[in-house]
Amino acid sequence: MPILSYPNFLQTAERKLSDSGNACGNHAVLTINLGRLAELDGILGYAAVDQIIQTIATQLADALNPEDLTGITGRHQVSCLLVNLLAHAHAVLAAHKITRILNAPFPLGRQNILLNPCIGVAYGCDKNSTIDLMMRNASLAMQQALQEKELIKLFVENPEDAYLTQLHLWSDLNEAIETSALHLQFQPQFSVASGKIESTEALLRWTHPQHGPIRPDKLIQVAEGSILMPKLTQWVLHTALRECSTYRKAGIDAGVSINFSADDLREPDIIDLTAQALNIWNIPSDRITVEVTETAVMETNRNILDTLTHLKDMGLKLSMDDFGTGYSSMSRMLELPLDEVKIDMIFVRQMTTHPKHERIVDSIINLAHQLNLTVVAEGVEDIDTFRRLTELGCDVIQGYLIGKPMPLTDFIKTVSQQSFEFLQPALSEAGNSDQSIPGIMNSR
């Protein structure tokens, strides 16, 4: 699609948003500032700089989905409309992809220039989300990114109130870590090959005394970039291994998966902290999986790759969470010492009713197996989805069909008592007729 001028971008975007096929989708506007080009106006002239902006806009359009729009919406500004996103997080992933493209030196004759972009992101997910409103919000977020010297900034409706709320939560979270007011829940992971619960995912939970349950992503957002993140990670790591030790002593021979953020991977002491926790709780290292998201590992930061390699050398397994939802390149994926990929529940939950979702799941499974990676499917809630995943060769199943996230005592009680005999017909139909289901939960 050609790069649009500002008026044409607005008109085309308005038509896209009003189109009946897009009316219920999640949309976002990304506004990219290329202020460094202002220095070249007086050196090269406006015509030459206009051509540079046109080239940059074309690069961005080629990197996004075909149905997305890209337009030159200011003197040194490009905007993109992303339509029908499966989740809001995809807009942030797209913004990260754009920064990777624009942070590479731009060739100009015999020299290279650095563009130093910053991006404002604004969401729109209902019929009131006009392109004018989304453009205004994205522009405000971009201005805030410029002021705060950040690469990417999300629009917040009441930034001052949001800031004060986050400040209060930060203080309360610090106290919650100190007093162990946080807790973990464990969601079982069912291995199709062994017919057993072979691992769990440790999920962080915090019930605030005034605000009630705090979403995990909000909790991490409060801690990231501050001295709280290492403290929080240390608490989660030790608690997860301690409680894993408890259910293993209770006869449940299962490992545990622990989520690490981008901040964790950049933390210089994370390797020593992990080694100390392993020594204290005496869990076999190959029963521990570190889960990282595509967003966390898409940075080209060498320290992150070194940290992942060290964790792998310690015997831990590495898993890429939410796989299939991001914009990370295959070359980047091949650099990572992964053992496992987890297919995001966005695809899994609708794979039996949406053929495109099933094809994505099938492709991910085949690709992962060709790379000798284990595949975990998240969000499995019904027997039809379980049956189809086993037919496609998925290795591990996680979701409410197997078990919801549970506190430690409930997890031990449930796993000790529950049988998965109801899965036998589905396994047999999927070609696993030799699978023995009775007593599946009894791993004592």
Side-chain angles (χ1 to χ4, degrees):
M1 178 174 287
I3 305 304
L4 303 173
S5 65
Y6 191 19
N8 288 336
F9 178 82
L10 291 179
Q11 292 171 9
T12 308
E14 195 65 59
R15 286 197 299 269
K16 271 190 172 286
L17 293 180
S18 62
D19 179 52
S20 59
N22 296 327
C24 297
N26 291 321
H27 314 300
V29 165
L30 276 57
T31 295
I32 303 109
N33 177 270
L34 302 165
R36 177 62 65 85
L37 294 182
E39 302 170 13
L40 299 179
D41 279 338
I43 301 173
L44 303 177
Y46 276 34
V49 173
D50 284 345
Q51 186 57 51
I52 293 173
I53 296 174
Q54 184 77 26
T55 301
I56 292 168
T58 301
Q59 289 178 342
L60 300 188
D62 290 342
L64 299 176
N65 294 325
E67 61 269 26
D68 298 334
L69 291 181
T70 303
I72 298 173
T73 54
R75 181 72 196 100
H76 307 108
Q77 177 178 297
V78 176
S79 294
C80 304
L81 172 67
L82 311 183
V83 297
N84 291 332
L85 299 168
L86 291 172
H88 279 169
H90 294 193
V92 178
L93 289 169
H96 278 287
K97 183 176 184 180
I98 288 172
T99 59
R100 287 210 315 275
I101 294 171
L102 298 182
N103 279 329
F106 185 85
L108 187 63
R110 295 183 178 180
Q111 300 186 17
N112 293 323
I113 60 172
L114 297 177
L115 299 171
N116 289 350
C118 68
I119 303 176
V121 181
Y123 298 126
C125 57
D126 56 46
K127 61 184 179 181
N128 296 320
S129 299
T130 65
I131 187 62
D132 285 335
L133 179 61
M134 294 169 68
M135 286 288 292
R136 186 205 72 176
N137 293 345
S139 180
L140 288 172
M142 183 196 70
Q143 293 299 326
Q144 192 174 1
L146 281 170
Q147 293 172 3
E148 299 177 8
K149 294 182 171 54
E150 294 187 16
L151 283 177
I152 299 169
K153 196 73 178 179
L154 299 179
F155 172 76
V156 178
E157 188 67 39
N158 296 303
E160 186 176 14
D161 293 343
Y163 176 79
L164 290 174
T165 298
Q166 185 144 323
L167 186 63
H168 292 315
L169 286 178
W170 189 91
S171 176
D172 294 341
L173 178 58
N174 184 46
E175 183 178 353
I177 296 171
E178 296 288 346
T179 61
S180 293
L182 308 170
H183 68 281
L184 295 181
Q185 293 188 346
F186 297 89
Q187 186 167 32
Q189 297 177 334
F190 173 81
S191 168
V192 174
S194 69
K196 295 180 180 179
I197 299 300
E198 292 207 343
S199 192
T200 68
E201 181 178 2
L203 299 166
L204 181 60
R205 298 290 185 259
W206 180 29
T207 301
H208 191 276
Q210 282 80 44
H211 302 290
I214 305 296
R215 294 197 326 267
D217 60 334
K218 179 67 175 178
L219 195 160
I220 298 301
Q221 182 184 358
V222 169
E224 272 188 323
S226 74
I227 59 172
L228 281 191
M229 198 67 226
K231 292 175 64 175
L232 180 61
T233 300
Q234 186 173 14
W235 185 91
V236 170
L237 187 59
H238 279 273
T239 304
L241 295 189
R242 183 186 73 237
E243 299 196 352
C244 176
S245 176
T246 299
Y247 61 68
R248 288 174 65 83
K249 290 176 182 176
I252 300 170
D253 184 19
V256 63
S257 290
I258 303 169
N259 292 277
F260 275 18
S261 70
D263 266 18
D264 294 328
L265 298 178
R266 288 190 292 263
E267 174 60 41
D269 296 329
I270 190 63
I271 300 300
D272 290 339
L273 289 174
T274 304
Q276 291 169 9
L278 288 173
N279 290 333
I280 291 172
W281 303 111
N282 198 29
I283 308 294
S285 59
D286 63 352
R287 303 311 303 274
I288 301 168
T289 301
V290 170
E291 293 190 20
V292 294
T293 64
E294 286 191 73
T295 306
V297 299
M298 72 194 308
E299 298 182 28
T300 55
N301 188 321
R302 184 71 206 179
N303 292 338
I304 287 181
L305 181 58
D306 289 344
T307 296
L308 293 172
T309 302
H310 279 303
L311 292 171
K312 182 70 177 284
D313 290 343
M314 291 166 62
L316 279 68
K317 295 179 180 178
L318 301 178
S319 176
M320 182 178 283
D321 197 9
D322 301 336
F323 186 75
T325 63
Y327 287 79
S328 59
S329 66
M330 292 307 301
S331 60
R332 178 61 175 162
M333 179 181 170
L334 290 172
E335 290 180 350
L336 304 172
L338 296 174
D339 299 281
E340 174 185 286
V341 295
K342 299 186 75 174
I343 307 176
D344 191 84
M345 64 179 66
I346 290 173
F347 304 115
V348 173
R349 283 178 174 169
Q350 300 190 60
M351 61 178 290
T352 59
T353 54
H354 291 69
K356 287 184 178 180
H357 286 222
E358 181 179 314
R359 286 196 289 271
I360 291 173
V361 171
D362 188 20
S363 298
I364 293 174
I365 292 173
N366 287 327
L367 172 63
H369 284 169
Q370 289 177 24
L371 298 175
N372 295 319
L373 302 176
T374 299
V375 182
V376 181
E378 296 183 287
V380 182
E381 299 181 350
D382 58 79
I383 197 69
D384 289 338
T385 303
F386 175 86
R387 180 187 297 109
R388 188 62 185 130
L389 285 166
T390 55
E391 289 172 348
L392 294 175
C394 186
D395 303 297
V396 179
I397 307 298
Q398 180 177 343
Y400 277 28
L401 178 70
I402 305 301
K404 65 180 182 179
M406 295 168 272
L408 177 63
T409 53
D410 293 346
F411 173 77
I412 293 174
K413 180 179 179 180
T414 299
V415 168
S416 300
Q417 296 178 354
Q418 189 173 0
S419 170
F420 281 99
E421 294 180 0
F422 69 93
L423 296 179
Q424 182 66 66
L427 285 169
S428 299
E429 291 176 27
N432 296 279
S433 57
D434 59 336
Q435 190 80 349
S436 177
I437 290 294
I440 192 172
M441 300 301 294
N442 188 359
S443 55
R444 296 172 186 257

mmCIF file with all atom_site columns, all heavy atoms in Angstrom, residues 186-199:
data_model
loop_
_atom_site.group_PDB
_atom_site.id
_atom_site.type_symbol
_atom_site.label_atom_id
_atom_site.label_alt_id
_atom_site.label_comp_id
_atom_site.label_asym_id
_atom_site.label_entity_id
_atom_site.label_seq_id
_atom_site.pdbx_PDB_ins_code
_atom_site.Cartn_x
_atom_site.Cartn_y
_atom_site.Cartn_z
_atom_site.occupancy
_atom_site.B_iso_or_equiv
_atom_site.pdbx_formal_charge
_atom_site.auth_seq_id
_atom_site.auth_comp_id
_atom_site.auth_asym_id
_atom_site.auth_atom_id
_atom_site.pdbx_PDB_model_num
ATOM 1   N N   . PHE A 1 186 ? -0.452 -22.150 41.701 1.00 0.00 ? 186 PHE A N   1
ATOM 2   C CA  . PHE A 1 186 ? 0.200  -23.092 40.804 1.00 0.00 ? 186 PHE A CA  1
ATOM 3   C C   . PHE A 1 186 ? -0.822 -23.691 39.845 1.00 0.00 ? 186 PHE A C   1
ATOM 4   O O   . PHE A 1 186 ? -1.860 -24.207 40.267 1.00 0.00 ? 186 PHE A O   1
ATOM 5   C CB  . PHE A 1 186 ? 0.891  -24.207 41.603 1.00 0.00 ? 186 PHE A CB  1
ATOM 6   C CG  . PHE A 1 186 ? 1.990  -23.695 42.483 1.00 0.00 ? 186 PHE A CG  1
ATOM 7   C CD1 . PHE A 1 186 ? 1.727  -23.284 43.784 1.00 0.00 ? 186 PHE A CD1 1
ATOM 8   C CD2 . PHE A 1 186 ? 3.290  -23.597 42.000 1.00 0.00 ? 186 PHE A CD2 1
ATOM 9   C CE1 . PHE A 1 186 ? 2.739  -22.790 44.586 1.00 0.00 ? 186 PHE A CE1 1
ATOM 10  C CE2 . PHE A 1 186 ? 4.308  -23.105 42.799 1.00 0.00 ? 186 PHE A CE2 1
ATOM 11  C CZ  . PHE A 1 186 ? 4.040  -22.697 44.093 1.00 0.00 ? 186 PHE A CZ  1
ATOM 12  N N   . GLN A 1 187 ? -0.518 -23.594 38.548 1.00 0.00 ? 187 GLN A N   1
ATOM 13  C CA  . GLN A 1 187 ? -1.398 -24.188 37.535 1.00 0.00 ? 187 GLN A CA  1
ATOM 14  C C   . GLN A 1 187 ? -0.691 -25.401 36.927 1.00 0.00 ? 187 GLN A C   1
ATOM 15  O O   . GLN A 1 187 ? 0.421  -25.285 36.403 1.00 0.00 ? 187 GLN A O   1
ATOM 16  C CB  . GLN A 1 187 ? -1.748 -23.193 36.438 1.00 0.00 ? 187 GLN A CB  1
ATOM 17  C CG  . GLN A 1 187 ? -2.781 -23.764 35.449 1.00 0.00 ? 187 GLN A CG  1
ATOM 18  C CD  . GLN A 1 187 ? -3.377 -22.708 34.538 1.00 0.00 ? 187 GLN A CD  1
ATOM 19  O OE1 . GLN A 1 187 ? -2.707 -21.741 34.178 1.00 0.00 ? 187 GLN A OE1 1
ATOM 20  N NE2 . GLN A 1 187 ? -4.639 -22.888 34.161 1.00 0.00 ? 187 GLN A NE2 1
ATOM 21  N N   . PRO A 1 188 ? -1.337 -26.575 36.992 1.00 0.00 ? 188 PRO A N   1
ATOM 22  C CA  . PRO A 1 188 ? -0.688 -27.803 36.517 1.00 0.00 ? 188 PRO A CA  1
ATOM 23  C C   . PRO A 1 188 ? -0.505 -27.834 35.008 1.00 0.00 ? 188 PRO A C   1
ATOM 24  O O   . PRO A 1 188 ? -1.295 -27.263 34.250 1.00 0.00 ? 188 PRO A O   1
ATOM 25  C CB  . PRO A 1 188 ? -1.639 -28.905 36.980 1.00 0.00 ? 188 PRO A CB  1
ATOM 26  C CG  . PRO A 1 188 ? -2.958 -28.234 37.161 1.00 0.00 ? 188 PRO A CG  1
ATOM 27  C CD  . PRO A 1 188 ? -2.671 -26.831 37.572 1.00 0.00 ? 188 PRO A CD  1
ATOM 28  N N   . GLN A 1 189 ? 0.560  -28.522 34.582 1.00 0.00 ? 189 GLN A N   1
ATOM 29  C CA  . GLN A 1 189 ? 0.855  -28.735 33.169 1.00 0.00 ? 189 GLN A CA  1
ATOM 30  C C   . GLN A 1 189 ? 0.895  -30.244 32.914 1.00 0.00 ? 189 GLN A C   1
ATOM 31  O O   . GLN A 1 189 ? 1.679  -30.963 33.528 1.00 0.00 ? 189 GLN A O   1
ATOM 32  C CB  . GLN A 1 189 ? 2.187  -28.085 32.781 1.00 0.00 ? 189 GLN A CB  1
ATOM 33  C CG  . GLN A 1 189 ? 2.192  -26.571 32.943 1.00 0.00 ? 189 GLN A CG  1
ATOM 34  C CD  . GLN A 1 189 ? 3.550  -25.950 32.633 1.00 0.00 ? 189 GLN A CD  1
ATOM 35  O OE1 . GLN A 1 189 ? 4.586  -26.602 32.755 1.00 0.00 ? 189 GLN A OE1 1
ATOM 36  N NE2 . GLN A 1 189 ? 3.540  -24.701 32.236 1.00 0.00 ? 189 GLN A NE2 1
ATOM 37  N N   . PHE A 1 190 ? 0.049  -30.692 31.998 1.00 0.00 ? 190 PHE A N   1
ATOM 38  C CA  . PHE A 1 190 ? -0.165 -32.114 31.730 1.00 0.00 ? 190 PHE A CA  1
ATOM 39  C C   . PHE A 1 190 ? 0.669  -32.543 30.518 1.00 0.00 ? 190 PHE A C   1
ATOM 40  O O   . PHE A 1 190 ? 0.548  -31.978 29.430 1.00 0.00 ? 190 PHE A O   1
ATOM 41  C CB  . PHE A 1 190 ? -1.653 -32.354 31.463 1.00 0.00 ? 190 PHE A CB  1
ATOM 42  C CG  . PHE A 1 190 ? -1.997 -33.742 31.016 1.00 0.00 ? 190 PHE A CG  1
ATOM 43  C CD1 . PHE A 1 190 ? -2.123 -34.766 31.932 1.00 0.00 ? 190 PHE A CD1 1
ATOM 44  C CD2 . PHE A 1 190 ? -2.214 -34.021 29.670 1.00 0.00 ? 190 PHE A CD2 1
ATOM 45  C CE1 . PHE A 1 190 ? -2.456 -36.044 31.526 1.00 0.00 ? 190 PHE A CE1 1
ATOM 46  C CE2 . PHE A 1 190 ? -2.551 -35.289 29.247 1.00 0.00 ? 190 PHE A CE2 1
ATOM 47  C CZ  . PHE A 1 190 ? -2.674 -36.316 30.171 1.00 0.00 ? 190 PHE A CZ  1
ATOM 48  N N   . SER A 1 191 ? 1.523  -33.550 30.710 1.00 0.00 ? 191 SER A N   1
ATOM 49  C CA  . SER A 1 191 ? 2.329  -34.087 29.626 1.00 0.00 ? 191 SER A CA  1
ATOM 50  C C   . SER A 1 191 ? 1.554  -35.174 28.895 1.00 0.00 ? 191 SER A C   1
ATOM 51  O O   . SER A 1 191 ? 1.145  -36.177 29.493 1.00 0.00 ? 191 SER A O   1
ATOM 52  C CB  . SER A 1 191 ? 3.636  -34.669 30.165 1.00 0.00 ? 191 SER A CB  1
ATOM 53  O OG  . SER A 1 191 ? 4.298  -35.419 29.169 1.00 0.00 ? 191 SER A OG  1
ATOM 54  N N   . VAL A 1 192 ? 1.338  -34.986 27.599 1.00 0.00 ? 192 VAL A N   1
ATOM 55  C CA  . VAL A 1 192 ? 0.606  -35.971 26.807 1.00 0.00 ? 192 VAL A CA  1
ATOM 56  C C   . VAL A 1 192 ? 1.390  -37.277 26.728 1.00 0.00 ? 192 VAL A C   1
ATOM 57  O O   . VAL A 1 192 ? 0.810  -38.368 26.798 1.00 0.00 ? 192 VAL A O   1
ATOM 58  C CB  . VAL A 1 192 ? 0.323  -35.415 25.389 1.00 0.00 ? 192 VAL A CB  1
ATOM 59  C CG1 . VAL A 1 192 ? -0.317 -36.473 24.501 1.00 0.00 ? 192 VAL A CG1 1
ATOM 60  C CG2 . VAL A 1 192 ? -0.574 -34.183 25.471 1.00 0.00 ? 192 VAL A CG2 1
ATOM 61  N N   . ALA A 1 193 ? 2.703  -37.204 26.606 1.00 0.00 ? 193 ALA A N   1
ATOM 62  C CA  . ALA A 1 193 ? 3.521  -38.403 26.435 1.00 0.00 ? 193 ALA A CA  1
ATOM 63  C C   . ALA A 1 193 ? 3.536  -39.288 27.680 1.00 0.00 ? 193 ALA A C   1
ATOM 64  O O   . ALA A 1 193 ? 3.389  -40.506 27.588 1.00 0.00 ? 193 ALA A O   1
ATOM 65  C CB  . ALA A 1 193 ? 4.946  -38.008 26.055 1.00 0.00 ? 193 ALA A CB  1
ATOM 66  N N   . SER A 1 194 ? 3.695  -38.665 28.860 1.00 0.00 ? 194 SER A N   1
ATOM 67  C CA  . SER A 1 194 ? 3.804  -39.458 30.087 1.00 0.00 ? 194 SER A CA  1
ATOM 68  C C   . SER A 1 194 ? 2.463  -39.696 30.758 1.00 0.00 ? 194 SER A C   1
ATOM 69  O O   . SER A 1 194 ? 2.333  -40.588 31.593 1.00 0.00 ? 194 SER A O   1
ATOM 70  C CB  . SER A 1 194 ? 4.749  -38.765 31.076 1.00 0.00 ? 194 SER A CB  1
ATOM 71  O OG  . SER A 1 194 ? 4.166  -37.564 31.567 1.00 0.00 ? 194 SER A OG  1
ATOM 72  N N   . GLY A 1 195 ? 1.454  -38.874 30.401 1.00 0.00 ? 195 GLY A N   1
ATOM 73  C CA  . GLY A 1 195 ? 0.159  -38.995 31.061 1.00 0.00 ? 195 GLY A CA  1
ATOM 74  C C   . GLY A 1 195 ? 0.183  -38.537 32.507 1.00 0.00 ? 195 GLY A C   1
ATOM 75  O O   . GLY A 1 195 ? -0.571 -39.034 33.333 1.00 0.00 ? 195 GLY A O   1
ATOM 76  N N   . LYS A 1 196 ? 1.063  -37.576 32.832 1.00 0.00 ? 196 LYS A N   1
ATOM 77  C CA  . LYS A 1 196 ? 1.196  -37.096 34.204 1.00 0.00 ? 196 LYS A CA  1
ATOM 78  C C   . LYS A 1 196 ? 1.298  -35.574 34.240 1.00 0.00 ? 196 LYS A C   1
ATOM 79  O O   . LYS A 1 196 ? 1.600  -34.938 33.250 1.00 0.00 ? 196 LYS A O   1
ATOM 80  C CB  . LYS A 1 196 ? 2.452  -37.682 34.866 1.00 0.00 ? 196 LYS A CB  1
ATOM 81  C CG  . LYS A 1 196 ? 2.437  -39.185 35.051 1.00 0.00 ? 196 LYS A CG  1
ATOM 82  C CD  . LYS A 1 196 ? 3.725  -39.644 35.720 1.00 0.00 ? 196 LYS A CD  1
ATOM 83  C CE  . LYS A 1 196 ? 3.738  -41.154 35.931 1.00 0.00 ? 196 LYS A CE  1
ATOM 84  N NZ  . LYS A 1 196 ? 5.000  -41.612 36.570 1.00 0.00 ? 196 LYS A NZ  1
ATOM 85  N N   . ILE A 1 197 ? 1.029  -35.043 35.429 1.00 0.00 ? 197 ILE A N   1
ATOM 86  C CA  . ILE A 1 197 ? 1.341  -33.635 35.686 1.00 0.00 ? 197 ILE A CA  1
ATOM 87  C C   . ILE A 1 197 ? 2.833  -33.568 35.960 1.00 0.00 ? 197 ILE A C   1
ATOM 88  O O   . ILE A 1 197 ? 3.302  -33.968 37.020 1.00 0.00 ? 197 ILE A O   1
ATOM 89  C CB  . ILE A 1 197 ? 0.534  -33.096 36.888 1.00 0.00 ? 197 ILE A CB  1
ATOM 90  C CG1 . ILE A 1 197 ? -0.955 -33.188 36.617 1.00 0.00 ? 197 ILE A CG1 1
ATOM 91  C CG2 . ILE A 1 197 ? 0.934  -31.649 37.186 1.00 0.00 ? 197 ILE A CG2 1
ATOM 92  C CD1 . ILE A 1 197 ? -1.424 -32.418 35.418 1.00 0.00 ? 197 ILE A CD1 1
ATOM 93  N N   . GLU A 1 198 ? 3.587  -33.052 35.001 1.00 0.00 ? 198 GLU A N   1
ATOM 94  C CA  . GLU A 1 198 ? 5.034  -33.060 35.137 1.00 0.00 ? 198 GLU A CA  1
ATOM 95  C C   . GLU A 1 198 ? 5.602  -31.717 35.565 1.00 0.00 ? 198 GLU A C   1
ATOM 96  O O   . GLU A 1 198 ? 6.769  -31.625 35.911 1.00 0.00 ? 198 GLU A O   1
ATOM 97  C CB  . GLU A 1 198 ? 5.676  -33.508 33.821 1.00 0.00 ? 198 GLU A CB  1
ATOM 98  C CG  . GLU A 1 198 ? 5.392  -34.976 33.521 1.00 0.00 ? 198 GLU A CG  1
ATOM 99  C CD  . GLU A 1 198 ? 6.462  -35.605 32.658 1.00 0.00 ? 198 GLU A CD  1
ATOM 100 O OE1 . GLU A 1 198 ? 7.231  -34.856 32.041 1.00 0.00 ? 198 GLU A OE1 1
ATOM 101 O OE2 . GLU A 1 198 ? 6.508  -36.841 32.609 1.00 0.00 ? 198 GLU A OE2 1
ATOM 102 N N   . SER A 1 199 ? 4.763  -30.665 35.521 1.00 0.00 ? 199 SER A N   1
ATOM 103 C CA  . SER A 1 199 ? 5.244  -29.370 35.974 1.00 0.00 ? 199 SER A CA  1
ATOM 104 C C   . SER A 1 199 ? 4.052  -28.490 36.315 1.00 0.00 ? 199 SER A C   1
ATOM 105 O O   . SER A 1 199 ? 2.891  -28.873 36.117 1.00 0.00 ? 199 SER A O   1
ATOM 106 C CB  . SER A 1 199 ? 6.113  -28.700 34.898 1.00 0.00 ? 199 SER A CB  1
ATOM 107 O OG  . SER A 1 199 ? 6.797  -27.575 35.436 1.00 0.00 ? 199 SER A OG  1
#
